[in-house]
Amino acid sequence: MKKLVFVALLLLLGACDKDTAVKLPREVKTLAQLGESVVHQLQVTGAGQSGGADRPADKVVLSPLVHGEKGVGHRDFTAAKRVLPKVFAGMQQDFYCGCAYEGKQVDWLSCGYVPRKNPERAKRIEWEHVVPAWVLGHQRQCWQAGGRKNCATNDAVFRQAEGDLNNLVPAVGEVNADRSNLSYGAWARQPARIYGQCGTVVDFTGKRVQPREEVRGAAARITLYMHQRYGLNMSRQDRQLMCAWARQYPVDSWETRRNARIVSLQGEGNYLVSQPEQLAELCR
């Protein structure tokens, strides 16, 4: 507030020199010009914080998308799905329940999985966005004008974010559907399980998902990376939880191996995996 009052005074002095016969000293005129510059900067900054449809990600650095399996670079979601089997080769285990899979076929016996409601979808592996596509796009103008399909067709920032390999993991289709765009949360040390022995549970009433303990660190680092990389908004409560999980559950060999493969295919991995010391800076 003091800064704004000071700037307003400077602008008033500048206006006196322009619109009246009063002649001001050179030093005062310089201050007035500086005031105009400060006001302009404040207006630009304020605009960036006003919550405009596309502004949270306006400063995203975009990379040319590649479409083939041999190229190195970011891909859209369709092209990303073609190379994801390479990322998880030899690590075919679904993210939320730890179920083994072959191709797209889930082995329920390997993890004690019991379908909650949709056995057909539970039979197959799907590619889950840890940070949901809805979060990536719903604040953008493209989403307001036509939803996810419109964003994937017409918005370069969304297209890159939707296909970012860092954000994609294999998941049992039923769990992927139940998770939808719900936020992660933690509310019980031993919650009532809803998919047989699967440790991930969904609270449909509270609209939240508690991932199994084994992947909370990875989920947190992915979430923090995606929000930072693409300028996404995150509530203070969610940030505190993600930072707590990232600290409590350190990077493991699965994350390290996955990240190295993503770098080889995309040219950019998750810096919170390769440089875990950066977590302190992000979670100050």
Side-chain angles (χ1 to χ4, degrees):
M1 180 60 72
K2 290 181 179 179
K3 181 186 289 184
L4 290 175
V5 171
F6 173 68
V7 170
L9 178 59
L10 293 176
L11 290 179
L12 180 60
L13 290 172
C16 289
D17 186 45
K18 292 176 182 178
D19 301 332
T20 73
V22 177
K23 297 298 182 182
L24 299 174
R26 179 179 300 175
E27 293 81 359
V28 175
K29 291 172 66 176
T30 300
L31 284 173
Q33 292 168 354
L34 177 61
E36 292 178 357
S37 175
V38 171
V39 166
H40 175 71
Q41 183 62 40
L42 289 172
Q43 288 172 338
V44 171
T45 304
Q49 297 174 344
S50 65
D54 286 352
R55 285 186 178 129
D58 276 349
K59 296 183 179 180
V60 171
V61 177
L62 293 174
S63 304
L65 298 183
V66 299
H67 302 285
E69 295 184 20
K70 295 183 179 180
V72 176
H74 280 272
R75 294 165 169 81
D76 62 18
F77 185 41
T78 299
K81 287 186 285 187
R82 297 193 194 106
V83 300
L84 281 165
K86 295 182 179 180
V87 174
F88 294 95
M91 301 189 294
Q92 291 102 322
Q93 189 178 77
D94 112 279
F95 193 68
Y96 288 129
C97 301
C99 301
Y101 66 89
E102 185 68 31
K104 293 185 178 181
Q105 188 71 31
V106 179
D107 181 359
W108 292 350
L109 293 178
S110 67
C111 57
Y113 190 90
V114 177
R116 181 186 69 84
K117 185 178 180 180
N118 191 338
E120 284 303 312
R121 195 161 179 181
K123 290 178 182 178
R124 67 175 184 258
I125 281 293
E126 297 176 355
W127 297 113
E128 154 81 329
H129 289 84
V130 172
V131 176
W134 181 87
V135 174
L136 301 177
H138 81 282
Q139 293 182 0
R140 302 190 66 74
Q141 185 60 44
C142 61
W143 199 278
Q144 312 305 321
R148 179 174 177 177
K149 184 176 181 180
N150 185 50
C151 284
T153 302
N154 298 307
D155 189 291
V157 172
F158 178 85
R159 198 156 46 240
Q160 178 171 311
E162 186 189 31
D164 194 320
L165 298 178
N166 290 293
N167 191 40
L168 293 164
V169 294
V172 173
E174 181 180 40
V175 182
N176 182 28
D178 287 349
R179 190 273 167 112
S180 184
N181 60 8
L182 303 181
S183 298
Y184 291 136
W187 60 89
R189 183 172 294 276
Q190 293 182 325
R193 301 192 174 194
I194 62 175
Y195 307 107
Q197 295 303 308
C198 177
T200 294
V201 295
V202 179
D203 176 5
F204 296 98
T205 301
K207 296 183 177 180
R208 54 187 180 168
V209 177
Q210 181 169 294
R212 63 190 180 113
E213 192 169 0
E214 293 86 345
V215 298
R216 289 178 191 171
R221 280 179 283 275
I222 292 169
T223 300
L224 290 167
Y225 161 82
M226 288 296 292
H227 279 77
Q228 190 275 336
R229 178 67 173 80
Y230 295 101
L232 305 174
N233 294 326
M234 186 188 298
S235 71
R236 181 178 180 183
Q237 181 179 359
D238 285 347
R239 177 172 288 276
Q240 288 176 337
L241 179 61
M242 293 303 100
C243 287
W245 279 355
R247 293 189 187 101
Q248 184 177 357
Y249 304 99
V251 174
D252 59 18
S253 59
W254 178 90
E255 275 187 274
T256 301
R257 190 177 181 189
R258 171 179 177 267
N259 195 63
R261 291 179 177 181
I262 290 173
V263 171
S264 70
L265 289 165
Q266 184 169 276
E268 176 187 19
N270 184 340
Y271 71 98
L272 292 175
V273 176
S274 59
Q275 304 173 57
E277 67 277 5
Q278 294 296 320
L279 180 67
E281 177 67 20
L282 187 60
C283 290
R284 289 186 297 178

